[in-house]
Amino acid sequence: MDIDLEFFFKPRSIAIIGASADFSTISGKPLLYLREHGYQGKIFLVNPKYKEIAGYPCYPSIIEVPEPVDLALIAVNYKRVLSVLEQCAQKGVRFATIFSSGFAEVGEEGRILQQKLADLATRTNLRLCGPNCQGMVNLYDKVAAAFSASLDIKPLMPGPVGFVTQSGALGYSIFNLAQEEGIGFSYVVSTGNEVDLDSLDFISYLLEDKNTRIVFTYMEGIQDGRKFTRIADRALELGKPLAVLKVGRSEVGSKAASSHTAALTGSDQVYSAFFKQKGIIRVADIEEFIDFAKLASSGFKFTRGKKLGIITTSGGAGVLAADVAEESGLQIQQLQESTRRQILTIIPSYGSALNPVDITAQVINEPEAFREVLWTIVNDPGIDALVIVLTMVTGALGIRIAQDVVKIRSLIDKPIAVAWTAGDTLTSDCLKVLKSAGVPYYKSPVRCVRAMAHLLNYSTFRCEWKERINSLPQKVSFVSSVSKEVHELLAGTGKEMTERETKKLLASYGIPVTQEELARNQEEALQIAKNIGYPVALKVDSPDIMHKTEAKAIRLGIANEIELVEAFQDVLDNARNYAPDARLNGVLVQEMLSKEGVEVIIGVKNDLHFGPIIMFGLGGIYVEILKDVSLRVAPVSLDEAYSMIKEIRGYSLLAGARGRLPVDCVALADVIVKVSTMAMELKNELAELDINPLIVLPEGQGVKVVDALLIKR
């Protein structure tokens, strides 16, 4: 259930507890900024040291404030915060923002004190932002309830970007840089240690706000991945892009992982997969966010298309822009023949009417040619957006070209951005023309194209997402009717299930497994092999030996009885040498599959924050070496399963490269969906799952699980 934050962002009254007459301090700045930025609500100051500050009466405690308080700003020593909050709760204050630091970020003592704040929020109606945060700004309603020096700039520029940051200092620095670039914000909120209200609570509110069209967040991590999933879906529904600067890419814990899947689904990989799955725009740095925000906040229309047109005065700059476009997932397609013929009548013979279109430096002598070429390209139905790359075009000519861009942009719906690679001294008057009309411009073709790529990729993703959710539900052949059987099987196994036990579980979910049976001696093995038919494989069955290849406790391609007798004993001997204390249930006798199939891996990791994560990639012994995998947060739909299959680098092996037969991707996608279903049903019991390898047979012949490992929670 979403939290109503209306009176947090739009408080009718604000109390500053610990207020100071020194406006250069953290406890003095909130009053200064509220006044200077025009806050219209009531302000109450609380500090027993003062009778009044700047004409405002000062009360000894929040209890003695004579009127209701919507938001309290806490600027006292960390040791006093808890008692002050107790008084706020007693007073009936709705929200409190805790500027004070000295909590979980400093060590064990701080963590204990922070937990007491969390307990207070749980048992009272007082909701907390922070501690260790820099506060909130509502630019449309002129609520500057913060102490950042970025608020020294007047006036602040309202606009469509809502910003939630887990770092107050960096977040408000980004806000200041973006404001300098002409980007307007609706809200900025610093969340600090998130003892109660967290980033997702604030993002959820901003998505529903009428003034907010884009939500940006600086994120170190979140606690509730499922909540994030609901919010991301809501953002897609509303058509409001989510852009995230997520830090913390390095992984240490994966080195100690017990399964292939665990080693390949580290925290940052999960975030990246989730962002991709939900159309969330991941930016790498501050500049990339500002570049995207500049373009996205200039007004845009969702279109399903990634075909970029490039027009330039420099062939080299055009090639650079085209390279970056293709690297970013955009398409540089040739213009329609009629468009090309028209352009050739305008540009010099040594120019180029291909895409990128090089009008050359001749524009200096024939400025009207630029306008004609620009108009011709934007009207080509095969072009979804346009990037204009200008070099040393300055003075009166530059101003005229800027005016032409503004005029044509006002007549079409397609996104247009300009890269003007010349210094401010020479182009300032030209750029003023673009800025006054809201045309986004950049100093670098690379930054310009990357910003456009974010916009077009998101726009296309959202259009395709709408088509999916508006289509009929995709039905999966599996219908669960084995719940009792599954739970009985899980109850009867150890934490690490054997291959045989894991396959029984998979089979109960309709996932095809190899024909096999456990042999406790050679005689049983011979009879089982006869029933299955040679060739067969032998594998040790032990709850203490998870990786049978490392133990050399596996034999493949056994063609007859003589080979089987010898291999049976070798498997057992090698298992005992590898793990002398291991429990040996016997030897699994298993059918050998056709060599025409391709080995893949399907895995599950139950992530602490997001729940079950589904992994797919090429399988076998090289899976951790190649690391060619795709990830999704469960549940995975059928179309998402197909996307997972197609996006790995080794997809050509599945599609039939170098004369190979294409494999049964229909059956493969079905298994991915069934594994996802199982993972969701058993999310409280399943920690990790490796199906490796799953043999995908030629088209129409299905799939079979050859080996599998399941680790319970």
Side-chain angles (χ1 to χ4, degrees):
M1 181 178 177
D2 290 338
I3 299 168
D4 186 355
L5 296 174
E6 189 73 4
F7 290 120
F8 174 83
F9 283 109
K10 301 175 182 179
R12 297 162 298 184
S13 56
I14 296 175
I16 305 173
I17 302 177
S20 170
D22 184 351
F23 290 161
S24 67
T25 64
I26 289 175
S27 52
K29 284 186 175 183
L31 175 59
L32 173 69
Y33 292 145
L34 285 169
R35 295 176 66 194
E36 289 194 346
H37 291 291
Y39 175 61
Q40 298 299 304
K42 296 180 179 179
I43 299 175
F44 302 104
L45 306 184
V46 177
N47 192 331
K49 295 180 181 179
Y50 299 96
K51 293 295 183 181
E52 63 88 28
I53 297 175
Y56 291 86
C58 228
Y59 300 93
S61 73
I62 188 69
I63 298 295
E64 296 174 66
V65 170
E67 297 184 45
V69 173
D70 287 335
L71 174 64
L73 306 180
I74 313 298
V76 300
N77 183 279
Y78 75 97
K79 294 180 180 179
R80 294 184 53 220
V81 169
L82 183 60
S83 61
V84 166
L85 292 177
E86 293 280 7
Q87 292 179 346
C88 287
Q90 181 182 346
K91 170 70 176 175
V93 175
R94 294 171 181 264
F95 296 95
T97 295
I98 306 166
F99 297 148
S100 315
S101 57
F103 294 89
E105 76 277 5
V106 300
E108 185 60 27
E109 180 185 350
R111 281 192 290 271
I112 294 172
L113 184 55
Q114 183 166 305
Q115 184 57 49
K116 292 180 180 179
L117 303 188
D119 294 340
L120 180 145
T122 300
R123 62 181 167 80
T124 70
N125 293 322
L126 177 62
R127 306 312 303 264
L128 308 178
C129 176
N132 188 32
C133 73
Q134 292 200 12
M136 170 274 296
V137 180
N138 172 351
L139 285 84
Y140 279 99
D141 295 300
K142 302 182 179 182
V143 184
F147 64 83
S148 169
S150 64
L151 302 180
D152 287 335
I153 302 297
K154 292 186 297 182
L156 298 175
M157 184 185 305
V161 180
F163 184 18
V164 179
T165 175
Q166 290 181 328
S167 170
L170 180 59
Y172 274 102
S173 295
I174 294 172
F175 165 67
N176 175 248
L177 288 169
Q179 288 267 287
E180 292 285 342
E181 288 285 336
I183 298 169
F185 286 72
S186 53
Y187 303 91
V188 182
V189 57
S190 159
T191 64
N193 294 9
E194 300 189 356
V195 68
D196 177 30
L197 297 170
D198 61 27
S199 299
L200 299 181
D201 294 321
F202 295 117
I203 292 172
S204 181
Y205 177 88
L206 297 187
L207 286 175
E208 304 298 333
D209 175 66
K210 66 179 181 179
N211 292 321
T212 305
R213 298 201 311 270
I214 307 149
V215 177
F216 171 56
T217 179
Y218 169 87
M219 180 179 292
E220 294 166 2
I222 53 98
Q223 295 298 316
D224 190 342
R226 292 293 156 184
K227 183 176 177 182
F228 201 0
T229 299
R230 294 191 297 272
I231 289 171
D233 287 340
R234 180 60 176 161
L236 283 170
E237 182 181 343
L238 294 170
K240 296 187 177 183
L242 279 176
V244 177
L245 175 54
K246 169 70 175 67
V247 296
R249 294 174 180 268
S250 61
E251 289 298 327
V252 177
S254 62
K255 294 180 181 178
S258 54
S259 71
H260 295 302
T261 301
L264 293 166
T265 54
S267 177
D268 193 66
Q269 290 95 325
V270 171
Y271 276 101
S272 292
F274 176 75
F275 296 157
K276 183 174 184 179
Q277 186 175 352
K278 297 298 180 182
I280 295 172
I281 299 162
R282 182 170 192 171
V283 296
D285 54 33
I286 297 169
E287 283 185 342
E288 194 172 349
F289 158 65
I290 291 175
D291 290 345
F292 170 69
K294 185 187 295 185
L295 178 59
S297 61
S298 67
F300 57 92
K301 178 182 178 182
F302 292 118
T303 57
R304 180 175 179 171
K306 301 182 182 182
K307 297 183 287 294
L308 182 67
I310 301 171
I311 178 173
T312 178
T313 58
S314 162
V319 172
L320 175 61
D323 287 345
V324 175
E326 292 196 347
E327 290 169 3
S328 304
L330 301 185
Q331 302 163 14
I332 306 297
Q333 294 185 337
Q334 293 309 310
L335 304 173
Q336 291 190 353
E337 184 61 29
S338 58
T339 304
R340 293 183 62 231
R341 285 197 303 267
Q342 179 64 24
I343 292 173
L344 286 171
T345 66
I346 305 169
I347 65 175
S349 59
Y350 48 85
S352 173
L354 301 175
N355 189 16
V357 174
D358 181 10
I359 61 175
T360 77
Q362 185 66 19
V363 70
I364 296 173
N365 298 322
E366 300 178 20
E368 66 278 357
F370 172 82
R371 181 177 62 253
E372 294 179 34
V373 172
L374 177 57
W375 182 248
T376 303
I377 294 175
V378 296
N379 281 289
D380 188 311
I383 296 299
D384 299 310
L386 184 66
V387 164
I388 303 165
V389 183
L390 302 172
T391 48
M392 295 303 297
V393 182
T394 61
L397 173 62
I399 292 173
R400 176 173 173 176
I401 285 179
Q403 291 170 340
D404 288 340
V405 172
V406 169
K407 177 64 175 177
I408 290 177
R409 182 175 178 268
S410 69
L411 299 174
I412 64 168
D413 291 329
K414 297 177 181 179
I416 294 180
V418 177
W420 210 314
T421 58
D424 288 345
T425 302
L426 295 175
T427 60
S428 59
D429 290 340
C430 312
L431 299 179
K432 284 178 184 177
V433 174
L434 298 180
K435 187 173 183 177
S436 63
V439 177
Y441 60 86
Y442 305 85
K443 289 297 184 181
S444 157
V446 172
R447 292 174 61 180
C448 182
V449 171
R450 284 179 178 162
M452 185 65 78
H454 281 313
L455 181 66
L456 296 183
N457 286 332
Y458 170 80
S459 182
T460 299
F461 180 94
R462 201 226 173 203
C463 290
E464 292 173 350
W465 177 85
K466 285 183 69 177
E467 290 175 3
R468 288 199 303 271
I469 64 171
N470 291 333
S471 64
L472 293 174
Q474 299 180 56
K475 295 182 179 179
V476 180
S477 58
F478 165 67
V479 178
S480 177
S481 59
V482 292
S483 181
K484 182 178 179 182
E485 176 188 348
V486 166
H487 288 293
E488 287 178 352
L489 175 59
L490 291 169
T493 61
K495 181 176 181 180
E496 296 179 338
M497 294 174 61
T498 66
E499 174 185 343
R500 179 169 55 94
E501 292 166 340
T502 303
K503 284 180 176 177
K504 283 185 179 180
L505 180 64
L506 295 173
S508 70
Y509 278 86
I511 298 170
V513 301
T514 50
Q515 184 182 355
E516 60 195 34
E517 195 172 335
L518 182 66
R520 293 171 179 80
N521 52 55
Q522 288 183 2
E523 289 72 23
E524 289 183 358
L526 289 167
Q527 185 58 50
I528 294 168
K530 182 179 179 180
N531 294 339
I532 292 176
Y534 290 98
V536 295
L538 298 185
K539 302 177 181 179
V540 71
D541 185 76
S542 169
D544 303 313
I545 301 176
M546 294 294 103
H547 299 293
K548 297 178 282 293
T549 301
E550 293 179 7
K552 298 180 180 179
I554 180 172
R555 289 290 185 274
L556 304 177
I558 297 168
N560 53 53
E561 293 182 353
I562 296 174
E563 291 183 9
L564 185 142
V565 170
E566 180 181 353
F568 186 92
Q569 194 58 47
D570 281 349
V571 166
L572 290 177
D573 290 344
N574 289 343
R576 292 190 181 99
N577 291 334
Y578 178 78
D581 297 327
R583 294 163 291 172
L584 305 182
N585 298 327
V587 174
L588 203 61
V589 183
Q590 183 183 103
E591 69 171 309
M592 287 290 298
L593 297 180
S594 166
K595 293 182 180 180
E596 294 179 330
V598 176
E599 293 186 355
V600 301
I601 181 172
I602 298 175
V604 177
K605 178 185 175 183
N606 209 333
D607 184 79
L608 177 64
H609 305 303
F610 286 94
I613 308 299
I614 310 302
M615 182 190 79
F616 167 75
L618 294 180
I621 62 174
Y622 301 112
V623 58
E624 285 190 42
I625 298 173
L626 299 176
K627 297 183 179 179
D628 183 17
V629 299
S630 58
L631 305 176
R632 293 292 187 278
V633 176
V636 175
S637 65
L638 197 54
D639 64 308
E640 287 176 327
Y642 281 116
S643 295
M644 293 178 73
I645 295 168
K646 292 176 181 178
E647 71 186 35
I648 65 169
R649 296 189 301 274
Y651 172 66
S652 58
L653 291 175
L654 304 175
R658 293 185 177 272
R660 297 174 64 100
L661 293 173
V663 300
D664 198 335
C665 287
V666 174
L668 176 56
D670 186 59
V671 169
I672 292 174
V673 173
K674 288 175 179 176
V675 169
S676 168
T677 301
M678 183 184 79
M680 291 300 293
E681 287 191 0
L682 304 180
K683 62 185 177 182
N684 295 326
E685 296 169 280
L686 187 156
E688 299 171 23
L689 169 68
D690 268 3
I691 300 175
N692 182 34
L694 174 77
I695 300 295
V696 191
L697 298 169
E699 206 166 41
Q701 297 181 34
V703 300
K704 278 195 178 180
V705 176
V706 174
D707 201 351
L709 160 69
L710 187 144
I711 300 172
K712 298 194 298 189
R713 296 184 73 172

